[in-house]
Amino acid sequence: MKQQANLIRAGQVIEHDGRRWTVLKQQIITPGKGGAFIQVEMRDLKTGNKTNERWRTADSVERLITEDKDFTYSYMDGDNIVLMDPETFEQTILNKEILGDQLPFLQDNMQLSVKLVEGDAVGVTLPPHVTLEITEADPVVKGQTASSSYKPAVLSNGVKTLVPPFIEAGERIVVRTDDASYVERAKD
């Protein structure tokens, strides 16, 4: 399906130079002189190589139609993630690079949404929030609670985040999977 270049968004899959690319970032740039253009950072689905491409906003690109399908995470097998189709119980193997920075948030039996183009996985979406335990947190500094400051902490998956001063090591908190930011204390 053809679409204008200025309608490209992160997460879409496009075909360019005979290869399939997933869009990572896009930015419309309006220079002081001349027409506007869109700069797109994208990753080749077969090789995993990243590249930047520029199009004029009026150019058209070929957007591929994706199908979303739910899978359940089973286990890691070296550099691969093994997923199970909850309907047919068939296993699907994907390279762990498809998750990028969200890989540490993968948990056993987690429900994932996988984007497919003609049966090939092109993207994986984790749930928006996960519950993790704090393994390390700096002690509270007296008077720090007067302002809305945050302190550094380390989650059980090794990711560093910022938490409010009342959160201590050993507590379970809810964090966003896209940027590892604190949401709330866990209610369990």
Side-chain angles (χ1 to χ4, degrees), residues 57-91:
T57 54
D59 289 346
S60 63
V61 294
E62 184 68 28
R63 178 180 171 196
L64 300 175
I65 303 300
T66 58
E67 168 194 355
D68 287 341
K69 187 165 185 183
D70 291 334
F71 285 89
T72 303
Y73 168 67
S74 294
Y75 60 92
M76 290 288 291
D77 183 22
D79 285 343
N80 295 321
I81 301 167
V82 179
L83 305 176
M84 182 185 68
D85 185 336
E87 296 170 6
T88 63
F89 301 108
E90 291 180 11
Q91 290 187 341

Side-chain angles (χ1 to χ4, degrees), residues 59-166:
D59 289 346
S60 63
V61 294
E62 184 68 28
R63 178 180 171 196
L64 300 175
I65 303 300
T66 58
E67 168 194 355
D68 287 341
K69 187 165 185 183
D70 291 334
F71 285 89
T72 303
Y73 168 67
S74 294
Y75 60 92
M76 290 288 291
D77 183 22
D79 285 343
N80 295 321
I81 301 167
V82 179
L83 305 176
M84 182 185 68
D85 185 336
E87 296 170 6
T88 63
F89 301 108
E90 291 180 11
Q91 290 187 341
T92 301
I93 298 173
L94 303 176
N95 191 308
K96 69 179 183 181
E97 296 296 320
I98 199 166
L99 278 173
D101 294 342
Q102 293 185 323
L103 183 65
F105 295 105
L106 202 56
Q107 296 176 344
D108 290 341
N109 298 320
M110 181 180 272
Q111 296 297 316
L112 308 172
S113 177
V114 178
K115 286 188 180 200
L116 303 168
V117 172
E118 297 173 7
D120 295 333
V122 296
V124 176
T125 306
L126 293 174
H129 302 106
V130 292
T131 302
L132 295 166
E133 186 174 329
I134 300 285
T135 56
E136 296 176 35
D138 291 349
V140 177
V141 177
K142 187 175 180 182
Q144 186 179 14
T145 57
S147 65
S148 61
S149 61
Y150 282 71
K151 64 182 182 180
V154 179
L155 301 169
S156 57
N157 62 358
V159 175
K160 294 179 180 175
T161 188
L162 295 173
V163 296
F166 56 84

